[in-house]
Amino acid sequence: MKNKTSASNLGDVVSVRGSVVDIHFDANLPPIHTLLHAMEGEIAIEVLAQLDAHRVRGIALTPTQGLARGMAVEDSGGPLKAPVGKQILSRMFDVFGNAIDRQAAPTDIQWRTVHNPPPALARRSTQSEIFETGIKLIDVLMPLERGGKAGLFGGAGVGKTVLLTEIIHNMVGQQEGVSIFCGIGERCREGEELHRDMKAAGVLPNMVMVFGQMNEPPGARFRVGHAALTMAEYFRDDEHRDVLLLIDNIFRFIQAGMEVSGLMGQMPSRLGYQPTMGTELAQLEERIANTDTGAITSIQAVYVPADDFTDPAAVHTFSHLSASIVLSRKRASEGLYPAIDPLQSSSKMATPGVIGERHYAIAQEIRRTLAQYAELKDIIAMLGLEQLSAEDRNVVGRARRLERFLTQPFFTTEQFTGIKGKLVSLDDALDGCERILRDEFKDIAESALYMIGAIDEAKTKAKARPDPKPEAELDRATSTHES
């Protein structure tokens, strides 16, 4: 194991309970976070508590099969370390820094502790810059911040990983910096697919991948985020490069912490979460920062248990983010992809001082139109569209056209949908929304605006497949959907 150093401080195993191991030391008691090795380095244990003057309790970062009482344990003399250096680019690692991409271990690298403090407040940058993704709905309504943290919230199967993969595809090609993908408790299938896709897209040379898969012990899943952040900090502080840090999934980090806490015998808090959840999440999130040397911009997928946004894991994560992108199961069922709920999602960047007066005005008008449509849905469901005033019918028409225009074909889903992916600039997206709000597309069928890039494609699509009665389509679609 790479984290092993020449150490002479030996102890012996007192008890093994699953992943929790108690170890007795005669002389020097290892400090908290020290990495211990048993069975000739096969088993790694991290010290989490000192029980008395001679005993420590640790959590195993590897499976504990074969470990028994009385076995010798060696103190490595330091904490868990992650590899850093230019040679780690285009490679895939586990929590210990072992290469898991079937290639030789990288040479000419340094090893640094995964337990770093966050940058001092004096070093943090206070500039606000927009981070364009090429996805219309995000760039217009919830712009991301360079050096900020954005969360993709959603239950199971609403498209968090697909959206994250699309952002990687769009960003890695454009940005000069380094991308680090951190898979916490995710499926090995997703890791393999991502590696293959990034290699095919030719963006692997500026990317590092770190995985703690869901079959690994909770200790390894709990530390893999810290290992990825250590790599990100190296590129920011030593190389002075901007870093895009993608985490899938931050809920699995909290879940791993909950398992570790339970194994360590701590009293559970609300809904069974660990009492130290807020601290543990803050220790990870506060290291993601924009400093005078570079920025770490983070986009994190956040699984929401049972679609309950009041769950403590979701609530604690919300507080750290500069943008929250909420995915909606209802929109996914209507085929409106990306299935982002524009009224629940928000960004602290969406202010006139940052994005400009015109962009802010358009975004507010879109939200107002969609909110009015949401209120009118009940009336339409009970009484029908014909009972609305002419102005309200116009609002419904505009809202439905906006909803369709804000869908977008993704590069990462081309093989499933058969529709070529589109990257849309912020100017094109704002121009399209503004023209829809001015009723320029009132006489064009809604279907012509669905799954297109820039707005001018709608007219081409409408000519290719004319629909003589857009109003009839609106009437029929609204009444069937709402009932």
Side-chain angles (χ1 to χ4, degrees), residues 1-4 32-37 44-47 61-62 76-83 94-98 111-116 219-228 230 287:
M1 228 164 245
K2 306 279 191 310
N3 288 275
K4 192 171 177 180
I32 305 289
H33 295 325
T34 302
L35 199 65
L36 312 175
H37 294 286
I45 302 157
E46 186 180 42
V47 176
L61 307 184
T62 50
S76 71
L80 179 69
K81 291 179 178 164
D94 66 7
V95 69
F96 300 105
N98 300 317
W111 292 86
R112 291 189 185 169
T113 174
V114 301
H115 304 283
N116 287 325
R221 284 180 273 127
F222 187 56
R223 286 292 174 230
V224 73
H226 298 92
T230 301
R287 287 170 67 182

Side-chain angles (χ1 to χ4, degrees), residues 16 235 363 403:
V16 184
F235 287 110
E403 280 185 337

Side-chain angles (χ1 to χ4, degrees), residues 346-415:
S346 64
S347 167
K348 71 169 193 177
M349 301 298 281
T351 59
V354 178
I355 58 175
E357 294 287 348
R358 175 176 174 255
H359 184 167
Y360 179 74
I362 293 170
Q364 289 300 95
E365 186 59 30
I366 292 168
R367 285 181 189 279
R368 201 175 299 117
T369 305
L370 294 175
Q372 281 177 277
Y373 176 41
E375 286 172 13
L376 292 168
K377 279 181 179 177
D378 288 342
I379 299 169
I380 297 166
M382 287 186 287
L383 304 173
L385 193 72
E386 59 279 355
Q387 297 300 318
L388 297 180
S389 66
E391 179 50 37
D392 283 346
R393 283 174 73 96
N394 282 339
V395 167
V396 171
R398 279 195 290 270
R400 288 182 62 84
R401 280 171 177 78
L402 280 170
E403 280 185 337
R404 274 137 195 80
F405 175 62
L406 291 171
T407 60
Q408 191 165 336
F410 282 176
F411 292 98
T412 48
T413 57
E414 276 178 20
Q415 57 186 347

Side-chain angles (χ1 to χ4, degrees), residues 143-366:
L144 307 188
E145 179 186 11
R146 177 182 170 271
K149 297 184 273 277
L152 308 177
F153 290 83
V158 291
K160 293 184 301 298
T161 302
V162 170
L163 188 54
L164 195 65
T165 315
E166 182 70 7
I167 291 171
I168 298 171
H169 182 281
N170 292 359
M171 296 318 308
V172 173
Q174 290 176 29
Q175 80 151 20
E176 306 286 302
V178 177
S179 294
I180 295 179
F181 183 90
C182 177
I184 306 178
E186 288 302 293
R187 304 162 188 85
C188 59
R189 164 182 64 76
E190 292 172 345
E192 190 274 331
E193 281 173 7
L194 183 71
H195 187 266
R196 187 158 23 93
D197 292 346
M198 294 302 110
K199 195 171 183 179
V203 295
L204 209 55
N206 278 325
M207 197 165 187
V208 186
M209 297 186 190
V210 194
F211 284 96
Q213 290 161 214
M214 53 168 56
N215 63 315
E216 293 182 24
R221 284 180 273 127
F222 187 56
R223 286 292 174 230
V224 73
H226 298 92
L229 259 166
T230 301
M231 296 174 184
E233 285 164 345
Y234 163 80
F235 287 110
R236 180 192 67 193
D237 300 336
D238 293 42
E239 302 262 336
H240 302 295
R241 295 172 76 174
D242 283 358
V243 182
L244 178 62
L245 176 66
L246 303 129
I247 302 176
D248 191 6
N249 183 306
I250 207 75
F251 173 78
R252 307 282 177 213
F253 166 76
I254 293 170
Q255 197 175 41
M258 179 164 67
E259 291 177 50
V260 168
S261 173
L263 288 165
M264 293 296 287
Q266 290 179 352
M267 183 75 75
S269 176
R270 188 170 155 229
L271 295 183
Y273 285 104
Q274 63 271 41
T276 51
M277 175 171 68
T279 316
E280 289 166 0
L281 186 63
Q283 282 171 346
L284 186 76
E285 295 281 8
E286 287 301 302
R287 287 170 67 182
I288 303 168
N290 194 352
T291 69
D292 45 12
T293 55
I296 298 177
T297 303
S298 175
I299 300 170
Q300 311 168 5
V302 188
Y303 168 69
V304 180
D307 292 347
D308 176 16
F309 284 90
T310 63
D311 187 272
V315 170
H316 275 270
T317 310
F318 265 121
S319 63
H320 290 281
L321 305 172
S322 55
S324 303
I325 299 166
V326 177
L327 293 146
S328 149
R329 197 172 297 282
K330 187 172 183 299
R331 287 178 71 82
S333 68
E334 289 173 14
L336 299 172
Y337 290 105
I340 297 168
D341 186 329
L343 298 177
Q344 271 194 288
S345 306
S346 64
S347 167
K348 71 169 193 177
M349 301 298 281
T351 59
V354 178
I355 58 175
E357 294 287 348
R358 175 176 174 255
H359 184 167
Y360 179 74
I362 293 170
Q364 289 300 95
E365 186 59 30
I366 292 168

Side-chain angles (χ1 to χ4, degrees), residues 23-44:
I23 301 133
H24 178 274
F25 285 87
D26 285 324
N28 306 320
L29 206 63
I32 305 289
H33 295 325
T34 302
L35 199 65
L36 312 175
H37 294 286
M39 292 175 63
E40 297 182 354
E42 277 184 40
I43 294 175

